[in-house]
Structure formats: C-alpha cells, structure tokens
Amino acid sequence: MARKDSGEKKPRLDKGSMQKLKGIFRFMAPYKGSFTLGLISLFFSSTVLLAFPYLTGSLIDTAQGQSKIPWLSDLTHVGLALMGVLLVQSIFSFARVYFFAVVNENAMADLRRELYRKFMSLPMSFYDKNRSGELFSRITADVAVLQDTFSTTLAELIRQVATLVLGVAILFATNPKLTLFMILTFPLLIVVAIVFGKFIRKLSKGTQDALAKANIVVEETLQSIGTVKTFANEDYEVKRYSSTLDKVVGIALKSATFKGAFISFIIFVLFGGIVGVLWYGSYLVSQGSITVGDLTSFVLYTMFIGGSIGGLGDIYGAIQKAVGATERVQEILEAESEHEINKEEIPRLEGNITLKDVRFAYPTRSELEVLKGVNLEINKGEKVALVGKSGGGKSTIAHLLQRFYEINSGDLIIDGKSAKDFNLIGYRKHVGVVPQEVLLFGGTIAENIAYGNPEASQQEIVEAAKKANALEFIESFPEGFETLVGERGVKLSGGQRQRIAIARAILKDPAILILDEATSALDIESEKQVQEALETLMEGRTSLIIAHRLSTIRNADKIAVLEEGTVKEIGKHDELIADSDGSYAKLIQLQEF
Ligand code: ADP
C-alpha cells in the first residue's frame, strides 16, 4: 500500500512552505487584539533593556566623575534609572507572556478543534491509507510544535532581531571604529553557523530516526508479548532492542561531538571578539578617546548582540521544525471530506434496498475488483442472509450499504432513490450495525448504550437493555448501569458485549440493519440470549445478515450466495439446497461460510 510518509520529508523554508505557515496564522486572526498588545509589550520589553549597558557605562563614568549627561551626574540617579529600566522591562515581559499566551492557547485549541472535526469527516479510504498512530501525532505532537513556535519562537525572533538591529545601531552611533572592529567577527560566525547548523541538524534527525526505530521495537514487542513468551525469545528481543540502542548511542555521540565543537567555536569567536574589543577599547581609553564607562557599555552591547546571533541560529532550526509540522497539519486540513458535518434530517426511510450492477474496488487496491456487478433486492422488512467464502466481499457490501466508500459503477438504491442523493449523516442515522467484534468505549455501560442515541433518557436506556436481554447481567454488577467498561473497566464477555451493541442499535432505531454474526461460537446460554435479542431488534426492520450459522440462514427470508464478485444464487434454503451442484449446496457441505 502506498503510504504518504510526509513526516520523512525534509522541510524547506521555501515560498510554498511559508505560504503554509501563513495558513496557520489564520487561526490567530480572531485574536488580533491580544496579538498586537503582545507585540507592543515585546517591543518595549526588548528595547528598554538596551538602555541597560548604556546606564551601566554611565554608572562607571559617574563614579569617576566623568558623567556626560547632567541628569545622570549623581550615582543615585543612575542607580534609580537602572532599577526603573528593570522594572519597566519586567512589567512588559509579563504582559508579553500573557498576551501571547492568550493568542496561542486559543489559536491552538481552535486548530485542534478543526483538525478533530476534519478527522470525523474524512472518508474511510483516508483511514485505509494512513496509520492511526501517525494521524494521532498530528493533533498532538505537531500542534505542540506549532504551539511552541507561536508562543516562544516568534516572540524570540522579533526580540533577537530588534536587539541585533538596535544594538548595532547604538554601537555605530557611539563608536563606529570599535563597532567595525567587532562586526569583523560576524561573517565568520554566520558562515560557521550555517555550515555546522546544517550538518548538526542532519545528525540530530539521524538520532531521532534511530530512536524512533528503537521505540518501534519496544512497542511491537510489548504488543505481542504473548508470542515472545511462547517462542521463549526473551533474550533475542533484549538483544534486538540493545543493538538498536547501540546505534542511537553511536549517532548521538557523533552528533554531540560536532555540537560540542560548534558551541566551543562559537564561544571562542564571540569571546575572541570581546577580547578584541577590550584590547582595542583599552587602547582607546589609554589614548583618552573614550571613557571606561563607554568601553563597559560597549562590551555589554557586544554580549547582547552575540547572544542574539546565537539565539537566531536556534530560531532557524525551530522555524524549520514548525514548517514541517505545518505541512503535516495542512495536509489533514486540506484532505477532502466525505461530507460537511451538517445533520440534515431524513425523517423516515422505509428500508427497500436495491443494489444494481454494483462494481467496486477499494481505493487502496484499485487493481482488485471485489464486486463485479452485484445485483440484489431486499424489500422492506425482509431478512436476507449473505453467504459466501471468506474474502468474497460480504463485509464490503455492508460497507457500501453504510456508504463508507463510493461505488465505482452501478447504484445503491434506497426506497427508489439513489443513496448518493441523501445527506450522508442523515442517511447513516437510518442504518444500524451489530458488528462481529463489538468495541466499547471507555465509560459506563449506560454511556455505551446511549452511543446509539446520545439524547436517550435513562428510562429509554434501561428499556433498550431489557429488550437486548442485557438487563440481567448489567444489574448483576454492583454499580449496575454505572459500571465502567472499556480498557480500564470491567471486561465483558463476547456475548455481553454483543447485547450492549444490540441495545445500542435498539436506541438508534434504524430502518436498515446490518448484522455481522460472530464466527466464534458463544456458549449455549449466551447464544440463546443474543439470538432472542437479535430477533427483537430485527422486527420491522430490513436486515442484511452476514451469516455464519446455519440456524440464521434457515430462518432468513432469502439467502444470497456471493461468489466471484457477484450474487450467484438467491432463494430460500430449501430451494437452493435442492440443486446439489449449486454453489450454496457446496458451501453448506463444506461449511465454508
Ligand atoms: P468477506 O466479508 O466476504 O470475508 P471482505 O468484504 O472482507 O470479504 O473482503 C473482500 C476483499 O476485499 C478481500 O480480498 C479483502 O482483502 C479486500 N478488502 C477488504 N477490506 C479492504 C480494505 N479496507 N482495503 C482494501 N481491501 C480490502
């Protein structure tokens, strides 16, 4: 199956991806007001801090009686001015964090809502193509990356650029010569940052990939721990995991070596620049062309600027990561929905079903035509058993009846109208399913039954449970309907889960019913209870039963035998069995359904 592993794609900061990043900005649009306040606070909190080196220099000059500005001629004044700068900076920093959080938290919650809404509306074919674990990570990990980007990275980017530009401007204004001297180190820093940065990112990705592989080993092994034990392969698994970890360590150490070299180089160049400034600056001080205070503020500005350059390197990496996350999120948002989530009601369906020359191949396996012209007519209220070899397309017909997939050619006609013309959600409300393997959600029994109709009253839930022969076992639990089921709740037996599913279907009250009989036999008592409940459920509804039991088949109004992608035979049990060479007779003989 062709999988689109966009996670592997290397994000690039080209025009298209910036366009996509913009697509995420639209989620911030409703919070423009807070965003503007955040930007203003950010501007002040960053720029006010630039007065800090200047005032520190003034403090030293004032102490030496060399103050150049009259109102800073007193040490207390300079001290107070410094405290004032810090205070204003703190207030604006607080405001910046708060306002950006308002924008970010709301925008990201909106994005998650939209993604989830999209997940609900995507067709089954989408879920055939994509692994659920990977989809899950889009709404969790990818959105978390974006959250980081918009809360810190963006603010940091603006802050660092402002510091850099304003810092250099201030330096030029105070002493152009010294500034040029310092700026000489920039090209070296930038070139090294770009070259090394690229290399290090590649190695980090290698580490992450190796770690992901190691994690997959754990995940898969834990999922099939029983098999590991059966084959007594514990040691083999430990070795397998251990060797994947060795690879992680190998790549991580290589990456760390380069990172270490990179960091020490940057520190060397930065501090080399500062030493140079100190050295040349001290010379200027000795010549009397600048004061000690000037030199101090100069060195402090240089440190600020150096910090900004270092910070910008990190930001580049973070933005690249954000573009990757954006692409993955956008891919979901742009995927085609099977419907808009609107719940146009279809008040009633009679339940007359006609499949007319239905041809169908799954979108993920277009070369395999599963249905090759199926014709089948089921009248309102009839019970039709669908039989045929495993893999013959019985479940596929059930999928098409629920309109999980588009039919390639032919038509599904319900009450004389093509099902395509019905609103999808409205239509599905009239189709109920009791599946082979019933999945219960984590929650109470009552909640699980009410899944059939979330608006049902407690009394209706109890009533449905009663009709589904489930009341007795539910009441045998100390907590009754409030008993927790699902992964961390009480484990229900197969027969009990089926009766919950039947109660669900009763609450849903559909005109059309699809029953997928369990292949594994229940114990006789459960079987009887489930059978009775199913009879109650089927009353007055059109039922299509994917049948595995002879008793069900015998009781059906019609039996349709599916073979080679078509309905080969149709009729009652006695009629079909009469033809001893027929497909049905052979199926029954071999018990192959
Ligand atoms: P049955 O219910 O009669 O056992 P199915 O309808 O499940 O048969 O399967 C019919 C064929 O369609 C099989 O070859 C099966 O592998 C294929 N198939 C079933 N579901 C899918 C799917 N979601 N994607 C691709 N192929 C599928």
Side-chain angles (χ1 to χ4, degrees):
M1 207 188 304
R3 287 196 199 287
K4 268 208 238 154
D5 249 353
S6 61
E8 304 287 308
K9 259 195 278 172
K10 191 168 179 255
R12 285 229 185 85
L13 296 184
D14 55 19
K15 220 173 144 199
S17 51
M18 289 320 244
Q19 204 66 31
K20 289 203 165 124
L21 214 51
K22 265 198 208 152
I24 299 295
F25 275 120
R26 87 185 146 93
F27 287 93
M28 301 167 85
Y31 311 102
K32 265 192 239 117
S34 296
F35 188 69
T36 312
L37 289 174
L39 272 185
I40 294 172
S41 314
L42 172 69
F43 180 77
F44 282 113
S45 67
S46 321
T47 48
V48 141
L49 209 57
L50 284 171
F52 192 76
Y54 179 78
L55 288 172
T56 312
S58 299
L59 195 66
I60 292 170
D61 282 348
T62 305
Q64 294 182 333
Q66 291 180 320
S67 172
K68 288 176 228 119
I69 298 169
W71 60 273
L72 288 178
S73 58
D74 185 290
L75 277 182
T76 319
H77 287 172
V78 188
L80 283 177
L82 269 169
M83 291 307 287
V85 163
L86 289 182
L87 190 68
V88 172
Q89 201 271 342
S90 318
I91 292 170
F92 280 115
S93 290
F94 167 78
R96 167 185 68 121
V97 170
Y98 176 76
F99 287 120
F100 277 139
V102 168
V103 179
N104 194 39
E105 294 302 328
N106 281 305
M108 292 304 120
D110 290 349
L111 173 59
R112 284 201 165 104
R113 278 186 202 109
E114 188 152 327
L115 271 174
Y116 196 61
R117 182 181 285 273
K118 193 76 195 189
F119 277 150
M120 295 300 110
S121 75
L122 288 169
M124 282 302 245
S125 54
F126 182 87
Y127 289 96
D128 288 344
K129 282 183 221 147
N130 295 281
R131 275 170 295 182
S132 56
E134 214 219 295
L135 295 177
F136 177 71
S137 79
R138 312 245 173 144
I139 203 168
T140 53
D142 287 331
V143 177
V145 167
L146 292 179
Q147 194 148 15
D148 258 7
T149 309
F150 291 114
S151 59
T152 40
T153 313
L154 198 65
E156 278 297 295
L157 176 69
I158 299 172
R159 200 168 73 83
Q160 306 290 23
V161 170
T163 308
L164 188 65
V165 173
L166 286 174
V168 172
I170 292 172
L171 284 186
F172 257 113
T174 46
N175 195 322
K177 251 202 227 156
L178 208 49
T179 309
L180 274 178
F181 193 83
M182 181 204 77
I183 282 180
L184 279 182
T185 55
F186 278 20
L188 189 63
L189 272 183
I190 291 169
V191 169
V192 170
I194 290 175
V195 173
F196 259 80
K198 232 181 191 168
F199 197 60
I200 288 173
R201 266 194 295 280
K202 209 166 126 191
L203 282 175
S204 315
K205 184 160 184 312
T207 315
Q208 298 233 312
D209 289 349
L211 196 60
K213 275 192 192 132
N215 289 344
I216 287 174
V217 172
V218 178
E219 197 183 327
E220 286 180 352
T221 312
L222 290 187
Q223 265 170 9
S224 39
I225 191 75
T227 317
V228 177
K229 289 192 182 297
T230 305
F231 286 93
N233 271 345
E234 288 92 337
D235 282 344
Y236 167 76
E237 287 299 344
V238 169
K239 275 195 205 122
R240 200 158 73 100
Y241 183 54
S242 171
S243 76
T244 56
L245 283 185
D246 287 343
K247 280 191 193 125
V248 175
V249 173
I251 303 177
L253 281 184
K254 201 167 154 197
S255 164
T257 312
F258 278 96
K259 239 185 235 168
F262 178 60
I263 290 171
S264 30
F265 179 81
I266 294 281
I267 291 175
F268 185 82
V269 174
L270 265 182
F271 279 83
I274 289 171
V275 169
V277 166
L278 272 174
W279 171 63
Y280 183 58
S282 305
Y283 167 74
L284 291 178
V285 171
S286 73
Q287 296 288 304
S289 48
I290 61 170
T291 62
V292 177
D294 286 341
L295 182 60
T296 310
S297 52
F298 205 96
V299 169
L300 285 177
Y301 278 121
T302 309
M303 286 174 135
F304 270 38
I305 291 167
S308 297
I309 295 178
L312 283 175
D314 286 346
I315 289 168
Y316 179 78
I319 291 183
Q320 219 177 19
K321 219 167 128 188
V323 170
T326 306
E327 281 178 356
R328 286 191 291 277
V329 165
Q330 285 285 49
E331 202 174 82
I332 306 282
L333 292 178
E334 284 163 13
E336 201 174 330
S337 302
E338 64 173 350
H339 56 76
E340 298 308 319
I341 297 195
N342 61 354
K343 294 178 186 159
E344 191 186 312
E345 295 292 332
I346 297 174
R348 235 168 68 89
L349 279 186
E350 294 288 328
N352 292 298
I353 306 169
T354 309
L355 285 115
K356 203 171 141 199
D357 288 328
V358 170
R359 286 182 169 269
F360 176 74
Y362 283 95
T364 46
R365 272 172 89 184
S366 50
E367 74 288 352
L368 177 82
E369 194 168 47
V370 180
L371 304 181
K372 301 173 182 163
V374 168
N375 286 295
L376 181 64
E377 198 162 331
I378 311 174
N379 297 323
K380 168 185 165 187
E382 264 182 351
K383 275 185 246 171
V384 172
L386 201 54
V387 297
K389 284 185 193 157
S390 163
K394 300 183 293 293
S395 310
T396 304
I397 290 183
H399 290 158
L400 295 183
L401 204 51
Q402 294 177 75
R403 292 187 56 206
F404 279 174
Y405 302 91
E406 295 290 331
I407 294 169
N408 299 132
S409 77
D411 206 358
L412 167 65
I413 298 162
I414 307 288
D415 294 347
K417 275 194 253 168
S418 173
K420 284 200 289 283
D421 298 337
F422 292 122
N423 166 284
L424 198 52
I425 295 225
Y427 169 72
R428 282 195 192 135
K429 292 217 168 221
H430 294 283
V431 184
V433 180
V434 179
Q436 225 178 67
E437 262 302 314
V438 181
L439 282 179
L440 298 180
F441 292 101
T444 64
I445 290 184
E447 283 163 355
N448 266 286
I449 295 178
Y451 207 73
N453 175 10
E455 275 144 40
S457 66
Q458 186 62 26
Q459 202 193 340
E460 285 169 316
I461 294 172
V462 175
E463 201 64 33
K466 198 168 163 193
K467 282 189 190 152
N469 270 346
L471 197 56
E472 202 177 314
F473 84 79
I474 293 172
E475 285 183 338
S476 74
F477 295 127
E479 315 257 323
F481 278 88
E482 296 311 309
T483 307
L484 285 175
V485 290
E487 209 173 335
R488 267 182 283 167
V490 172
K491 277 223 175 351
L492 297 183
S493 74
Q496 289 171 333
R497 280 206 304 273
Q498 284 219 311
R499 280 176 275 163
I500 301 268
I502 294 170
R504 256 185 201 169
I506 289 173
L507 272 191
K508 190 174 181 187
D509 193 20
I512 296 169
L513 199 62
I514 300 167
L515 304 180
D516 197 351
E517 276 188 347
T519 37
S520 51
L522 301 173
D523 62 88
I524 294 172
E525 180 55 26
S526 280
E527 172 88 48
K528 202 172 134 254
Q529 300 241 16
V530 170
Q531 207 50 47
E532 261 179 30
L534 283 175
E535 292 298 333
T536 314
L537 173 63
M538 284 191 283
E539 240 162 67
R541 307 179 206 275
T542 310
S543 311
L544 182 76
I545 312 160
I546 299 178
H548 298 287
R549 284 187 217 106
L550 207 52
S551 58
T552 314
I553 300 172
R554 277 178 193 279
N555 289 333
D557 296 313
K558 267 189 230 165
I559 302 157
V561 186
L562 205 58
E563 200 181 292
E564 289 168 359
T566 59
V567 174
K568 263 270 149 63
E569 292 172 10
I570 190 154
K572 284 201 151 291
H573 174 79
D574 296 335
E575 294 162 15
L576 294 179
I577 203 91
D579 177 7
S580 59
D581 276 343
S583 308
Y584 181 73
K586 282 188 195 145
L587 268 180
I588 295 291
Q589 257 172 15
L590 300 169
Q591 291 260 327
E592 262 185 349
F593 42 88

